[in-house]
Amino acid sequence: MHLNTRSFLRIVIPFGVASLLSCTSREPNYHEYSITQCEKDTLIKVEGLLGFKPAKAIYLKIQGNIDDSIHISLTSIGHDMGPFFVALSKGKIDTVLKNEIYEDDYNLVYKHKNAKSGILNCEIISLLASQDTVVIK
């Protein structure tokens, strides 16, 4: 059996297009924030974390150094709860938390308690919930 080019393309193109449309691999959504005035409570609006539905896995990486204990949370806008609430003690901080999110926009809330000096870098990385691995820099 001999296929001409036109017949070949009629068979191959639909399969190629279907395979491209079924691809669910997407780059992680990445946000980075620095808290440099550690003596003040800080609220940072983080928008567009989902980007696409359904739920996504989310990582919160916190690094830095602080002179007293603090609280950091990621909360749904208009709510007191969210995927993360963590109390961190004074000294060097290098921690990564993982959870799932269901909304696009969140507040990153820093409560200084008694902290007077230090610097914190917070990275928020979100990806499809079915992707369970992310490389964190």
Side-chain angles (χ1 to χ4, degrees):
M1 182 174 149
H2 181 312
L3 285 176
N4 65 26
T5 304
R6 184 174 286 167
S7 298
F8 178 75
L9 291 176
R10 282 187 196 151
I11 295 169
V12 172
I13 287 178
F15 289 110
V17 171
S19 67
L20 288 174
L21 293 176
S22 67
C23 180
T24 58
S25 175
R26 298 194 184 187
E27 289 295 315
N29 190 346
Y30 179 82
H31 300 267
E32 185 173 3
Y33 305 97
S34 290
I35 299 171
T36 57
Q37 295 181 335
C38 288
E39 71 281 4
K40 296 181 180 182
D41 290 347
T42 305
L43 183 139
I44 300 168
K45 189 171 183 178
V46 182
E47 297 178 314
L49 283 177
L50 268 180
F52 52 97
K53 307 233 179 208
K56 289 174 75 174
I58 188 161
Y59 293 81
L60 175 60
K61 179 180 180 181
I62 307 165
Q63 290 183 311
N65 205 323
I66 202 86
D67 71 338
D68 207 335
S69 60
I70 58 162
H71 289 153
I72 292 184
S73 60
L74 191 65
T75 61
S76 303
I77 293 178
H79 299 88
D80 292 334
M81 298 296 288
F84 299 115
F85 174 85
V86 62
L88 299 168
S89 59
K90 70 178 181 176
K92 184 178 179 180
I93 296 170
D94 189 2
T95 189
V96 177
L97 307 165
K98 180 185 176 189
N99 207 336
E100 287 186 355
I101 59 170
Y102 299 89
E103 299 176 37
D104 267 339
D105 304 328
Y106 287 83
N107 288 324
L108 180 62
V109 181
Y110 165 80
K111 298 279 186 172
H112 80 282
K113 295 178 68 179
N114 293 320
K116 302 277 187 270
S117 66
I119 258 184
L120 292 176
N121 293 311
C122 300
E123 297 176 42
I124 300 171
I125 303 162
S126 60
L127 62 159
L128 281 173
S130 61
Q131 296 171 303
D132 59 0
T133 304
V134 65
V135 176
I136 297 178
K137 305 181 222 175

